[in-house]
Amino acid sequence: MHKPGGILVSGNHFKTIANALVQNLKRSPLEDTTQPQPVHRLDFATTGILLVGKTSRSIRVLNKLFEDRAIKKTYYAVTIGEMKTEGSITTEVDEKPCKSNYKVHQSVSSKRFEQLNLVELEPFTGRRHQLRKHLSGIGHPILGDKDYGKESLILNGKGLYLHAYSLKFTHPFTKEVLYLKDGFPENFKKIFDLLK
């Protein structure tokens, strides 16, 4: 399913994706049907694809696939400043080892930010705010990042330009290889003609 920015996936709040699923998804016809729930997390401000389980068994198995890193996650971000074409970032997050690969697909000049980049990101670990911290750490924060961006370059009211684009994995029951995508948001398309 698509997660919009500005909504929590779950937690002790009324307005969460987890609370909305019950009214918006059909129950599974299988015996172990349960209340649908997200099987991974996206930050409050991040948009994109969110995987949801509708049976006890599927939730358990999908959680294990994420834990074992058997699901390939691809994100896209808009970053600030002139970057190398591709690279790997291995800086620790919360004193734990982690790794993110990045690849720049298009760069455009910007009056306010000098240069904006459309960057594909592949996190190999799932630390909290990993991609945001990694990009900020190499001097190329994500556009709209109020927590890890440069104060003089904060873009107010436009949200965070970080999008969970795709998930690729082998279906645990049918063994079919699934490639699930959530197309680019409009705010990305307005910057990069490559996406039009």
Side-chain angles (χ1 to χ4, degrees), residues 59-75:
I59 291 166
R60 200 170 46 250
V61 172
L62 289 169
N63 274 321
K64 182 85 171 100
L65 287 178
F66 274 106
E67 197 179 296
D68 294 344
R69 300 188 186 115
I71 297 179
K72 182 184 176 188
K73 299 179 278 187
T74 303
Y75 290 75

Side-chain angles (χ1 to χ4, degrees), residues 14-153:
F14 174 72
K15 190 178 177 184
T16 65
I17 297 289
N19 287 342
L21 292 175
V22 181
Q23 288 86 28
N24 291 288
L25 287 182
K26 263 176 124 171
R27 284 181 70 83
S28 168
L30 299 174
E31 278 181 25
D32 66 336
T33 185
T34 187
Q35 186 170 318
Q37 58 181 278
V39 292
H40 65 121
R41 291 185 179 275
L42 293 176
D43 287 348
F44 174 77
T46 303
T47 61
I49 193 158
L50 186 68
L51 202 55
V52 172
K54 299 202 296 188
T55 66
S56 300
R57 187 167 170 230
S58 69
I59 291 166
R60 200 170 46 250
V61 172
L62 289 169
N63 274 321
K64 182 85 171 100
L65 287 178
F66 274 106
E67 197 179 296
D68 294 344
R69 300 188 186 115
I71 297 179
K72 182 184 176 188
K73 299 179 278 187
T74 303
Y75 290 75
Y76 279 86
V78 178
T79 64
I80 298 170
E82 196 173 323
M83 293 179 76
K84 283 191 213 163
T85 316
E86 57 186 66
S88 193
I89 310 166
T90 55
T91 318
E92 287 187 354
V93 171
D94 300 328
E95 297 175 6
K96 292 177 181 167
C98 56
K99 179 182 176 183
S100 307
N101 283 351
Y102 72 87
K103 183 177 182 180
V104 177
H105 284 277
Q106 187 179 4
S107 298
V108 295
S109 56
S110 161
K111 281 180 187 167
R112 182 168 175 198
F113 303 105
E114 290 185 23
Q115 185 168 300
L116 295 174
N117 312 287
L118 176 64
V119 180
E120 179 182 335
L121 299 155
E122 185 183 352
F124 289 89
T125 41
R127 310 286 178 227
R128 182 171 157 77
H129 297 174
Q130 175 178 322
L131 296 172
R132 295 165 67 187
K133 287 178 177 178
H134 268 176
L135 288 163
S136 179
I138 62 166
H140 301 291
I142 297 173
L143 186 63
D145 196 333
K146 292 181 172 76
D147 297 322
Y148 306 104
K150 295 173 185 159
E151 204 162 318
S152 61
L153 298 177

